[in-house]
Amino acid sequence: MRRVKVAIPTRSHAGLDDSVSDIFGKTKTFTIVKVERGKIVGVHIINNPTTSYRYRIFIVLYGVYLVFEGLSFRAASRALEVFTVLIGSISHEGHKIVRDRSSGIFDKIEAEKLISVQEEMSNRTGVPCMLDVVGENSGALVKYIKFVADISDLPFLINGPSASVRIEAGNYVKEVGLQDRAIYNSVNYTLSEDEIKAIGKTGLKAGIIQAFNPRNPYPDGMIQILEGVPEKEGLIARALKAGIEKPLIFTPVLDVPSVGLAASGIHSAKEKFGLPTGTAPVGVVGK
């Protein structure tokens, strides 16, 4: 392995001179050490964004490959292999809290209640969670993101119907310094060179990669669009070009029968790429 990031739970901000914390999840800071060809080439210190199991999400989003825990190293990706992460959607089409989708007017009291319920259930069950923030246009999406960021410390997805909407919201996230909590949703088969460049300028490092292949909706088609073919790069490689260092694979559900295909796609993609992978069957089952 030529390059790797290692997360070490530490007690303060002393970097390589710091002492190792005994409690990983409730550590004060994480010292992230970048190693290349056996040599330390970078050290970055971050405050533990949350003193709970949610640290696992942030560690993976920072691109960490190994974590130092219990006097030994283990793969950081185990955090998302062992612990399922559930993502609750808010302000989506048909969501009753939204009063006017075009202007982004919504019931803030009810929205806060729903987010609190998700966090409470997450705390009770130990299942980490995120928020998928959906907006009809960039103005509405920015309003929703600002609200969510003000009342919750959860990671959130930037979800808009077009690249221009997502990019404008991504630029807002960069402006207010929320990139470490934000996930671009999504890179998909419509990805253009202009969108690749625009994503790079937002500074976003995490992104959902949709494995929907319009020419072949079966699991092998999902793998093909992610991996690419001789004449065209796959979405994973193109997302990396956009600066997405932490790709999260999403297998599509188009209707109830395709839930099985999505589940099979998760297995295939996980086996092929070893990346965090999931789907959203409730989008069709709940209708």
Side-chain angles (χ1 to χ4, degrees):
M1 186 179 298
R2 294 183 176 181
R3 182 181 302 171
V4 66
K5 286 184 180 180
V6 181
I8 304 171
T10 41
R11 299 180 185 275
S12 62
H13 296 81
L16 296 179
D17 294 324
D18 211 338
S19 56
V20 177
S21 173
D22 296 327
I23 305 176
F24 195 95
K26 295 185 178 181
T27 185
K28 183 177 181 179
T29 58
F30 288 110
T31 298
I32 299 177
V33 181
K34 185 177 180 181
V35 179
E36 189 170 340
R37 298 182 183 275
K39 296 182 179 180
I40 295 176
V41 296
V43 177
H44 182 55
I45 303 167
I46 61 170
N47 291 320
N48 186 358
T50 173
T51 55
S52 72
Y53 56 83
R54 291 180 195 151
Y55 76 87
R56 299 182 181 103
I57 302 175
F58 287 93
I59 284 296
V60 173
L61 294 183
Y62 263 97
V64 170
Y65 184 82
L66 295 172
V67 295
F68 185 75
E69 183 176 6
L71 301 181
S72 63
F73 290 98
R74 64 183 179 85
S77 59
R78 291 288 296 172
L80 292 186
E81 287 177 358
V82 177
F83 298 94
T84 299
V85 177
L86 296 182
I87 305 174
S89 177
I90 193 168
S91 60
H92 50 272
E93 183 178 0
H95 200 177
K96 294 180 179 179
I97 67 166
V98 179
R99 302 287 182 254
D100 187 326
R101 298 188 72 227
S102 296
S103 58
I105 297 174
F106 65 105
D107 187 335
K108 294 184 178 181
I109 295 176
E110 190 61 29
E112 186 168 359
K113 286 181 181 178
L114 291 174
I115 294 172
S116 295
V117 168
Q118 174 173 287
E119 291 187 338
E120 180 184 354
M121 295 306 296
S122 180
N123 288 328
R124 285 187 182 182
T125 61
V127 178
C129 63
M130 304 189 212
L131 286 168
D132 182 22
V133 185
V134 187
E136 178 74 10
N137 54 60
S138 58
L141 184 51
V142 166
K143 285 183 180 179
Y144 301 144
I145 290 172
K146 185 178 186 304
F147 172 78
V148 167
D150 285 343
I151 68 167
S152 173
D153 65 355
L154 291 175
F156 59 86
L157 278 57
I158 301 174
N159 191 342
S162 66
S164 61
V165 171
R166 298 189 293 269
I167 292 299
E168 286 190 47
N171 287 332
Y172 165 77
V173 165
K174 177 182 179 180
E175 180 182 331
V176 296
L178 293 171
Q179 301 103 309
D180 292 339
R181 290 175 54 189
I183 302 165
Y184 189 80
N185 188 20
S186 63
V187 170
N188 55 59
Y189 76 97
T190 67
L191 182 68
S192 66
E193 290 302 314
D194 287 341
E195 186 178 3
I196 289 175
K197 293 177 183 177
I199 294 172
K201 291 179 180 179
T202 66
L204 295 171
K205 299 302 181 184
I208 302 289
I209 302 182
Q210 285 221 37
F212 174 60
N213 186 336
R215 295 184 177 181
N216 181 358
Y218 294 93
D220 62 324
M222 299 176 196
I223 297 299
Q224 184 183 70
I225 200 166
L226 292 171
E227 186 176 34
V229 292
E231 63 272 16
K232 187 175 182 180
E233 280 187 312
L235 288 180
I236 293 177
R238 299 184 73 202
L240 293 175
K241 283 186 176 181
I244 299 297
E245 299 176 356
K246 284 80 74 171
L248 310 173
I249 306 300
F250 177 90
T251 58
V253 174
L254 307 178
D255 49 32
V256 174
S258 68
V259 172
L261 295 178
S264 179
I266 289 175
H267 178 78
S268 298
K270 191 70 176 176
E271 187 175 66
K272 179 74 175 179
F273 306 110
L275 295 170
T277 308
T279 191
V282 73
V284 292
V285 174
K287 291 183 178 179

